Amino acid sequence: MAVPEVIPIAYEPHGRTEAIGCYADGQFMGSVTYAFPKDFDLGTGWEEHKRLYAVLHTFDAEGRYRDSEIWCAGTWAEQQRAPHGPDSVLARARARLATLLRSLPRRTYTDIAIRPFQLTVDGVLFGLVSGEDDGEPWAELYPDHLGFGAPWDGSYDT
């Protein structure tokens, strides 16, 4: 079975896909996720390169990519220096995503189905990328590292 043209993603309340659904102009997918720039090699000082992003992708009703709002809240090093409170990197990222989600008119949280897309921001790959390994089709959401595959029912692996 090949990668479907439109890939279903199941809504999972309190899970990794808790910020997906439909709104007045189509579909959306949001997340708060840490990421390294592409081809980054872990070594001394990695904490300054691991960044936390608030991400909101939008799509039309047929799952075609429209646009993204991607905002860097800070680094892992900053989060470790001030891990609690409203000024922590994580709190800032969550607040920004909440603001982005509130901006979507007639928002409902539900399953979505989108087409592969990709873009690079700050050297970080964002998108739903598809391919095939050893005859097995796959799709993966970056930088969240959620993997999708047969039976293509919207469930994911991490």
Side-chain angles (χ1 to χ4, degrees), residues 4-9 27-29 57-60 62-65 112-117 127-128 141:
E5 190 173 314
V6 181
I7 299 167
I9 301 175
Q27 302 177 79
F28 67 90
M29 176 188 319
H57 302 296
T58 57
F59 310 87
D60 69 13
E62 288 77 42
R64 286 184 289 271
Y65 174 75
I112 62 173
I114 61 173
R115 299 167 193 270
F117 72 101
L128 182 63
L141 182 64

Side-chain angles (χ1 to χ4, degrees), residues 33 35 53-55 57 68 70 117-129 141-144:
T33 185
Y53 291 92
V55 179
H57 302 296
S68 295
I70 299 171
F117 72 101
Q118 60 184 1
L119 66 150
T120 301
V121 175
D122 296 338
V124 176
L125 174 63
F126 292 87
L128 182 63
V129 179
L141 182 64
Y142 287 94
D144 304 80

Side-chain angles (χ1 to χ4, degrees), residues 11-29:
Y11 168 63
E12 185 178 281
H14 311 294
R16 301 277 303 275
T17 57
E18 68 181 354
I20 68 170
C22 296
Y23 74 112
D25 295 329
Q27 302 177 79
F28 67 90
M29 176 188 319

Side-chain angles (χ1 to χ4, degrees), residues 50-131:
K50 185 176 183 180
R51 300 180 208 128
L52 185 63
Y53 291 92
V55 179
L56 179 66
H57 302 296
T58 57
F59 310 87
D60 69 13
E62 288 77 42
R64 286 184 289 271
Y65 174 75
R66 275 200 175 134
D67 195 19
S68 295
E69 290 281 337
I70 299 171
W71 181 73
C72 180
T75 65
W76 177 257
E78 290 174 83
Q79 176 64 24
Q80 296 311 298
R81 286 192 293 269
H84 306 291
D87 292 328
S88 74
V89 171
L90 182 57
R92 291 192 314 252
R94 286 179 175 161
R96 179 64 175 243
L97 178 59
T99 298
L100 292 171
L101 291 169
R102 281 192 304 273
S103 75
L104 298 173
R106 298 194 311 273
R107 173 185 78 254
T108 58
Y109 296 96
T110 187
D111 299 348
I112 62 173
I114 61 173
R115 299 167 193 270
F117 72 101
Q118 60 184 1
L119 66 150
T120 301
V121 175
D122 296 338
V124 176
L125 174 63
F126 292 87
L128 182 63
V129 179
S130 64

Side-chain angles (χ1 to χ4, degrees), residues 36 40-51 75-77:
F36 285 105
F40 178 76
D41 289 322
L42 283 175
T44 305
W46 64 268
E47 300 89 346
E48 294 293 339
H49 296 276
K50 185 176 183 180
R51 300 180 208 128
T75 65
W76 177 257

